[in-house]
């Protein structure tokens, strides 16, 4: 950056705004540590060896349930004796809960308890004690700061944790209370829209599963066929990872189990191979059926819509021309749980090529295969459209939240 530009940044002013660590914020927004606005406390776990501490009527929440966001009920229950003989506490309604630790992405996530409950020691609670802070505003503010909260955790990124001292020292920039309440109201409307869309997607998926069961249940006039009779069954492979020319700047799709997650059509992958690397694999044509065959990912199924290859954790079926690949994609989806169940008989869960080849599938006439696949594909298209709309709503809310929390757009407060 030039000297002139540096000087301009130092002398830049904006009417009605002040320069802060977060950038430009409205002048009337106060910078305050949350410890001066809230009581901050953590939960605990009654002894699991004392049966009399468990199975009572007091809700007890574990850190995994933080993902519910709006907490109206939890799975755990403890007794009054368990509450009195542990470090857990009965929290009032409308605390802002935050995960102190947890596997994967849990740490730093927030929720609001809409019921009185207790929590385990991996969850802390902000109990708002100031009349100048709206708890709904606090929830949305902290939800927008997930990455920041993980960065300030003690320890490293994967094993670090938040603690009460850190949480008390977290700074918040506070608009006047009426503006906080209006911001929270706006963001809550977006949350309701997101929740409605998620419920609609869940309902659509449930209906599709019921339809699959009816359409794919064998009829008297159907035959039965082994997977091996559909076509060639092949196992993928991994080109030598030490040879850079197989991977650098590649554009050929190479599928691993992570690419099959909640997807039907596979045409884009996290890892790409070069043409040279691609030649080292078993190249699959479009409309190949892909099934994960080892470990915790067994039973994920996908359908290639372009030429690609896979790693050795995936078996693939290249269907002959007289079998509809889309129909058999759905037929295998229907038995995926059964495949996974049988695979667990091994020390390391596995469904090898021979085992997969011997599974039996229904065989309607080709025209009926096409028609069933067409019906189910229409449902998938509808579900995908809802999912795209959900992502659009989430992204719009994320952008709006950032602007509202920095005052780059201001809300209008109507006076009575």
């Amino acid at each position: 950056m030039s000297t002139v530009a540096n000087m301009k940044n130092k002398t830049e002013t904006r009417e009605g705004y002040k320069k802060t660590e977060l950038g430009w914020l409205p002048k009337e927004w106060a910078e305050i540590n949350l410890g001066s606005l809230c009581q901050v406390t953590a939960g605990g776990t009654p002894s699991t060896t004392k049966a009399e501490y468990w199975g009572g009527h007091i809700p007890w929440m574990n850190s995994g349930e933080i993902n519910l966001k709006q907490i109206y009920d939890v799975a755990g229950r403890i007794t009054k004796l368990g509450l009195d003989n542990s470090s857990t506490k009965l929290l009032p309604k409308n605390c802002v809960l935050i995960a102190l630790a947890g596997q994967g992405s849990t740490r730093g996530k927030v929720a609001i308890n809409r019921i009185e409950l207790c929590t385990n020691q991996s969850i802390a609670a902000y109990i708002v004690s100031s009349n100048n802070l709206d708890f709904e505003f606090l929830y949305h503010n902290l939800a927008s700061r997930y990455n920041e909260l993980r960065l300030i955790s003690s320890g490293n990124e994967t094993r670090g944790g938040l603690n009460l001292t850190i949480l008390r020292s977290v700074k918040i920039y506070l608009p006047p209370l009426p503006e906080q309440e209006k911001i929270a109201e706006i963001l809550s409307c977006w949350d309701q829209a997101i929740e409605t869309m998620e419920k609609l997607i869940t309902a659509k998926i449930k209906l599709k599963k019921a339809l699959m069961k009816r359409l794919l249940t064998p009829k008297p006039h159907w035959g039965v066929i082994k997977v091996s009779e559909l076509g060639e069954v092949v196992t993928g492979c991994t080109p030598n990872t030490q040879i850079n020319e197989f991977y650098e700047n590649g554009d050929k799709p190479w599928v691993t189990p992570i690419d099959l997650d909640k997807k039907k059509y596979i045409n884009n992958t996290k890892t790409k191979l070069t043409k040279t690397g691609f030649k080292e694999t078993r190249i699959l044509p479009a409309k190949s059926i892909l099934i994960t065959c080892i470990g915790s990912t067994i039973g994920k199924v996908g359908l290639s819509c372009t030429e690609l290859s896979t790693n050795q954790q995936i078996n693939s079926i290249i269907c002959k021309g007289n079998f509809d690949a889309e129909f058999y994609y759905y037929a295998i989806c229907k038995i995926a749980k059964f495949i996974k169940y049988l695979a667990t008989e091994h020390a390391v869960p596995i469904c090898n090529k021979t085992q997969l080849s011997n599974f039996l599938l229904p065989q309607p006439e080709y025209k009926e295969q096409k028609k069933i696949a067409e019906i189910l594909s229409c449902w998938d298209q509808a579900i995908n459209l809802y999912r795209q709309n959900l992502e659009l709503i989430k992204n719009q809310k994320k952008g709006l939240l950032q602007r509202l929390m920095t005052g780059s757009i201001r809300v209008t407060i109507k006076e009575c």
Side-chain angles (χ1 to χ4, degrees), residues 24-316:
W24 292 98
L25 292 174
K27 282 185 177 179
E28 68 270 28
W29 287 25
E31 178 185 351
I32 307 175
N33 286 350
L34 282 175
S36 65
L37 299 168
C38 304
Q39 178 188 346
V40 188
T41 186
T45 301
S47 173
T48 55
T49 63
K50 302 280 189 180
E52 62 269 28
Y53 291 173
W54 297 90
H57 301 289
I58 302 171
W60 180 84
M61 177 182 172
N62 66 57
S63 56
E65 291 172 309
I66 203 88
N67 291 306
L68 296 172
K69 296 181 182 178
Q70 302 289 327
I71 313 298
Y72 289 96
D73 196 12
V74 292
R77 292 291 187 275
I78 61 173
T79 63
K80 181 68 165 55
L81 200 60
L83 173 62
D84 293 340
N85 288 277
S86 69
S87 58
T88 195
K89 304 164 188 72
L90 187 61
L91 300 173
K93 294 180 183 179
N94 299 327
C95 298
V96 177
L97 310 177
I98 182 165
L100 300 173
Q103 296 296 320
S105 62
T106 301
R107 187 177 78 254
K109 287 189 175 179
V110 297
I112 294 182
N113 60 308
R114 302 301 187 178
I115 57 170
E116 289 186 342
L117 52 67
C118 301
T119 74
N120 71 5
Q121 63 276 10
S122 294
I123 298 176
Y126 283 109
I127 306 172
V128 175
S129 56
S130 170
N131 292 329
N132 295 320
L133 175 61
D134 178 71
F135 70 89
E136 296 270 10
F137 176 84
L138 176 60
Y139 163 74
H140 288 293
N141 183 282
L142 293 178
S144 73
R145 300 166 67 181
Y146 170 74
N147 291 328
E148 175 193 340
L149 292 168
R150 288 180 70 83
L151 285 173
I152 64 174
S153 302
S154 60
N156 61 43
E157 176 61 21
T158 56
R159 297 185 64 84
L162 292 162
N163 58 50
L164 300 188
T165 301
I166 292 172
L167 294 183
R168 290 187 186 101
S169 66
V170 171
K171 293 179 180 178
I172 189 168
Y173 291 91
L174 276 188
L177 186 61
E179 191 168 354
Q180 291 178 44
E181 293 170 343
K182 188 64 178 179
I183 289 171
E185 179 187 339
I186 292 168
L187 293 173
S188 292
C189 287
W190 282 83
D191 281 344
Q192 289 170 15
I194 290 169
E195 183 182 356
T196 299
M197 186 61 72
E198 287 174 338
K199 286 180 178 178
L200 187 57
I201 291 169
T202 300
K204 286 284 183 183
I205 291 172
K206 188 175 180 180
L207 286 169
K208 182 205 157 190
K209 286 181 178 178
L211 183 61
M212 276 182 67
K213 185 176 180 180
R214 291 184 63 186
L215 290 175
L216 296 174
T217 296
K219 311 297 187 292
H221 62 283
W222 288 9
V224 177
I225 190 170
K226 283 186 177 182
V227 167
S228 59
E229 296 176 83
L230 293 176
E232 188 178 2
V233 181
V234 298
T235 302
C237 64
T238 299
N240 191 329
T241 56
Q242 303 301 313
I243 301 177
N244 290 337
E245 68 172 314
F246 289 170
Y247 295 90
E248 284 187 355
N249 302 315
D251 61 358
K252 299 295 185 181
W254 181 67
V255 182
T256 65
I258 194 171
D259 298 309
L260 298 180
D261 193 31
K262 295 182 180 179
K263 294 178 184 176
K264 174 184 176 182
Y265 294 115
I266 309 299
N267 63 355
N268 193 18
T269 57
K270 187 176 181 180
T271 303
K272 302 280 201 309
L273 300 176
T274 62
K275 288 181 180 178
T276 306
F278 203 51
K279 290 177 182 177
E280 296 292 313
T281 66
R282 176 63 165 89
I283 299 173
L284 303 169
K287 292 296 182 79
S288 296
I289 303 168
L290 319 177
I291 310 116
T292 54
C293 58
I294 190 168
S296 61
T297 62
I298 285 177
K300 289 185 176 181
V301 187
L303 189 67
S304 66
C305 55
T306 187
E307 189 178 70
L308 48 71
S309 61
T310 79
N311 75 357
Q312 64 275 17
Q313 293 175 287
I314 297 173
N315 285 320
S316 303

